Amino acid sequence: MKIYLIGIGGIAMGNLAYMLKKKGHKVKGSDMNVYPPMSDKLSDWKIPVDIGFEVNENLLEADIVIIGNAVSRGNPQVEATLNSGKEYMSMPQAISHFFLKGKKVIVVAGTHGKTTTTFLIHHILTEAGLKPGLFVGGIRKDGHAGFEIADGDYFVIEGDEYDSAFFDKGSKFLHYRPYYLVLTSLDFDHADIFPDLDAIKVMFRRLVHLVPSHGKIFYWQGSKELQEICEHFQHAPICAYELAKPLSLLEVKRGRAQRKDKHSEIHTRLIGEHNYRNMEVALNVAMEILPSKIDSHISALESFPGVKRRQDILYEDSKRVLIEDFAHHPVAVRETIKAVKEAYRGFKIISLFEPRSATSHRNVFQNEYAECFEGSDEVFITEVFNINKVPRNMRLDVKKITKAIKRNSNIPAHYCEEPTSLLEKLKKILPEYSRSKIVILVMSNGSFGGIYKPILELLQNNHEST
C-alpha cells in the first residue's frame, strides 16, 4: 500500500512513517521544514520527503493520506486530498488502524507522568518475555526511540489528550482502543485548545467509557478529578492506586521506594514520589497480566534506565550538579523541585525556568507559578518564549511572579529577559555559593536558548579551578 504523510517532520509522524515502512508499505511524506534529529532519521530510513506542500505525484499516487495535527485547511496537499475523494486519516487513527487491531492495548493517559509510565510498563512486560508493541512521545536514556513493532498480544501506548487533526477535534487517546487504561493525573493543561478543566474531563470520561468489561482501569486515587470520573463507573473493574494504600505494592521510606512485601529497598534511578507512583501503577499493570512474576517485575523496575529530559543529570561532582527536566506545568515544577531536594539533601537548589509551552505562555497559572518554586534557594525565570504568540492581556506576567516569590517565600527570584541575560546573572551569583553544594535545576519543554552547554562549561571550569 502507498501511504503519504502530510507533516512527516514531527517526531511522532516520523516514527509512524518508519513503523509503516517496517510493515511493508511504501511510505513518502512532506513538510515545510524537516530538522534534525528527524531529518537524519528519515534519511537513514530511506523515506523520501517532499519539502513544501505542493501537490505532486507522490501525493496523487497514494492509497491513504495521513494528515498531522499541525496541518490545517488551506494547505494545498490537504485540499487536493479532500477533492480527490481518497481515504485520509489522522495520526492516531492510523496508529489504531495499522497497529492496534487485535491487540490488548494498554493506554497511559494523564497530565503528568504518562511518558515515563508508558516506558516503564513496556520495559517490565518486555523483561517478562511478552514482546509488547510501543508508541510513546519520548526517548529512553539508553537511546530507545519510543516505538516498537512486536509480535506479542499487548501494545503499550501513551495517550495524549491533545486533539487529533483539523477534522477531528477529539483527543488522540480516543482512537486507541484501551483494554487496560492507566490514568496518572488530571490537571488543566493545553490552554490553546481547551477552555477549562471541565472540557478536558469530557475527553477523559469518553476515554473511560471505551474500556471493555474484561479490561481494567487503574487511576491515581490522589486526584479528586480522576476519582470523580472513575469511582462510579460500573462497566469495567477499577483499581485505585496510591502509595499510602494498605494494598499498595510499594511504599516510600526515607525518600526511597521499597518493596512492601519484603521491606527491601528498590534500587531505582528514578527519584521523587511522583515517579514512585508511576512505578506503583506500572507494577500493578504487570501483576494484573503476570501475577506470578513479581521478582522479574521488580528487577525490571531496577534496570529501567529512565527517560531523556526527565531528571537528566548532565554534570555531577562532589559539590556541583546540573539537572535538566521537562517540567513546565506548575504541578510538575513543584514535584520536580521536591524530588531533587529530597535526593540531594544538604544541597542548595538553584531553579531555572523557561515558560515555553502553550499553557505556560498564558496567565491561567499566574498564581500557581508564584507558589510552585517552594524548596528552591534561588530562582531564575525568563520571559515567555515567543512573547508575541499570546496577547498581553492573556500573557503570563513573569515580573509579577518573581516579585511574588520574593515577597511570599523570601526566595531570591530573578526576572530575565532572555536566556543570555539569565546566564549572565547566574555567573554573578555563583561565587556566593562557593562554600555550598549546589544543584542547578533547569526546567523547560524546549531548548531554553541553548543554555545547557554554557552552564555545563561553567561548572566544569569551576570544578577544575578548585
Side-chain angles (χ1 to χ4, degrees):
M1 183 177 289
K2 295 178 180 178
I3 302 175
Y4 195 87
L5 291 86
I6 305 176
I8 197 172
I11 297 295
M13 285 283 279
N15 289 347
L16 173 60
Y18 180 64
M19 292 172 70
L20 290 167
K21 183 173 181 178
K22 290 274 284 184
K23 288 269 284 188
H25 301 290
K26 294 181 179 179
V27 180
K28 299 177 181 179
S30 65
D31 218 319
M32 185 56 67
N33 296 292
V34 187
Y35 302 103
M38 188 46 67
S39 57
D40 298 331
K41 288 183 177 179
L42 290 168
S43 176
D44 292 343
W45 296 334
K46 294 181 171 51
I47 296 176
V49 179
D50 299 319
I51 302 302
F53 296 115
E54 292 183 8
V55 178
N56 58 43
E57 202 170 282
N58 291 331
L59 174 73
L60 298 175
E61 288 180 347
D63 301 303
I64 294 178
V65 177
I66 299 171
I67 302 174
N69 75 340
V71 181
S72 57
R73 285 300 304 265
N75 178 297
Q77 291 187 336
V78 167
E79 299 304 316
T81 299
L82 296 177
N83 289 329
S84 71
K86 70 175 60 190
E87 186 174 4
Y88 64 90
M89 56 183 65
S90 66
M91 185 194 76
Q93 281 179 293
I95 293 169
S96 179
H97 178 79
F98 289 103
F99 299 103
L100 303 186
K101 289 179 180 178
K103 301 286 186 180
K104 290 184 176 179
V105 184
I106 303 167
V107 177
V108 182
T111 314
H112 319 287
K114 53 185 176 288
T115 302
T116 298
T117 305
T118 304
F119 265 128
L120 270 167
I121 294 171
H122 176 263
H123 180 65
I124 295 170
L125 298 185
T126 299
E127 293 298 296
L130 289 186
K131 298 181 180 179
L134 175 69
F135 198 87
V136 58
I139 300 172
R140 258 182 14 191
K141 289 183 181 179
D142 61 355
H144 193 298
F147 61 92
E148 193 163 321
I149 303 172
D151 299 329
D153 294 332
Y154 295 87
F155 197 106
V156 193
I157 187 166
E158 179 177 2
D160 186 356
E161 66 268 32
Y162 212 79
D163 58 7
S164 300
F166 74 83
F167 52 87
D168 180 1
K169 290 303 178 182
S171 293
K172 293 175 186 173
F173 56 40
L174 297 178
H175 293 283
Y176 292 157
R177 311 164 182 256
Y179 187 85
Y180 294 123
L181 173 61
V182 174
L183 301 174
T184 63
S185 51
L186 181 50
D187 294 300
F188 180 59
D189 201 2
H190 305 304
D192 52 328
I193 62 168
F194 291 111
D196 50 38
L197 181 58
D198 284 341
I200 302 176
K201 287 164 69 174
V202 168
M203 297 298 171
F204 275 78
R205 285 194 183 94
R206 292 178 184 174
L207 176 62
V208 165
H209 278 268
L210 297 176
V211 179
S213 58
H214 288 178
K216 196 165 191 176
I217 299 167
F218 303 80
Y219 80 91
W220 176 42
Q221 195 174 38
S223 167
K224 64 181 179 63
E225 309 295 346
L226 291 178
Q227 273 193 338
E228 178 190 324
I229 290 171
C230 296
E231 64 183 358
H232 300 302
F233 184 71
Q234 299 178 351
H235 302 290
I238 304 282
C239 171
Y241 69 92
E242 176 59 272
L243 291 169
K245 279 184 65 179
L247 295 178
S248 65
L249 300 170
L250 303 178
E251 62 183 344
V252 176
K253 287 190 175 180
R254 302 177 306 281
R256 297 282 184 235
Q258 286 192 175
R259 179 174 171 177
K260 206 166 188 179
D261 61 340
K262 292 187 176 181
H263 299 285
S264 56
E265 187 172 299
I266 296 174
H267 299 284
T268 173
R269 304 179 196 190
L270 305 182
I271 61 173
E273 288 202 20
H274 61 300
N275 271 322
Y276 301 149
R277 289 196 301 269
N278 296 338
M279 289 166 53
E280 168 81 7
V281 70
L283 192 54
N284 268 280
V285 173
M287 289 295 288
E288 178 72 22
I289 296 169
L290 285 172
S292 64
K293 288 203 168 187
I294 186 167
D295 289 333
S296 168
H297 303 334
I298 295 292
S299 294
L301 287 180
E302 295 189 320
S303 66
F304 179 66
V307 181
K308 281 191 174 182
R309 305 207 68 200
R310 272 70 169 180
Q311 301 169 349
D312 256 359
I313 299 173
L314 304 183
Y315 177 80
E316 184 170 16
D317 62 41
S318 59
K319 291 184 65 178
R320 300 286 186 266
V321 183
L322 175 61
I323 297 177
E324 177 190 13
D325 198 273
F326 195 71
H328 50 280
H329 189 284
V331 171
V333 170
R334 185 184 66 242
E335 290 296 315
T336 300
I337 293 170
K338 180 181 174 185
V340 170
K341 194 170 183 66
E342 181 68 39
Y344 290 89
R345 296 185 181 187
F347 281 69
K348 303 285 189 183
I349 311 297
I350 301 175
S351 296
L352 282 50
F353 178 60
E354 179 190 37
R356 191 181 181 105
S357 69
T359 302
S360 65
H361 270 72
R362 292 167 167 79
N363 57 16
V364 291
F365 290 132
Q366 183 72 40
N367 296 331
E368 287 81 357
Y369 279 122
E371 298 171 353
C372 68
F373 291 91
E374 192 72 38
S376 304
D377 293 278
E378 196 136 1
V379 175
F380 295 79
I381 309 177
T382 60
E383 185 56 83
V384 298
F385 180 76
N386 195 356
I387 193 168
N388 296 319
K389 193 172 184 179
V390 179
R392 181 181 290 276
N393 66 318
M394 298 172 61
R395 190 187 307 150
L396 188 74
D397 190 331
V398 179
K399 287 183 179 178
K400 190 179 287 186
I401 289 172
T402 54
K403 289 176 182 176
I405 293 171
K406 287 187 278 191
R407 182 179 63 249
N408 300 334
S409 304
N410 202 29
I411 299 170
H414 309 270
Y415 165 81
C416 308
E417 289 185 1
E418 55 188 5
T420 52
S421 62
L422 186 155
L423 275 171
E424 291 304 313
K425 291 182 180 182
L426 181 63
K427 285 179 186 177
K428 289 179 180 178
I429 69 101
L430 277 180
E432 299 174 16
Y433 291 92
S434 60
R435 295 177 179 270
S436 303
K437 295 193 283 187
I438 62 168
V439 174
I440 298 178
L441 173 60
V442 189
M443 293 173 284
S444 170
N445 69 322
S447 64
F448 212 138
I451 68 172
Y452 300 99
K453 187 177 179 181
I455 296 175
L456 180 61
E457 290 172 351
L458 184 66
L459 293 180
Q460 288 172 329
N461 293 337
N462 180 262
H463 177 70
E464 291 169 3
S465 63
T466 56

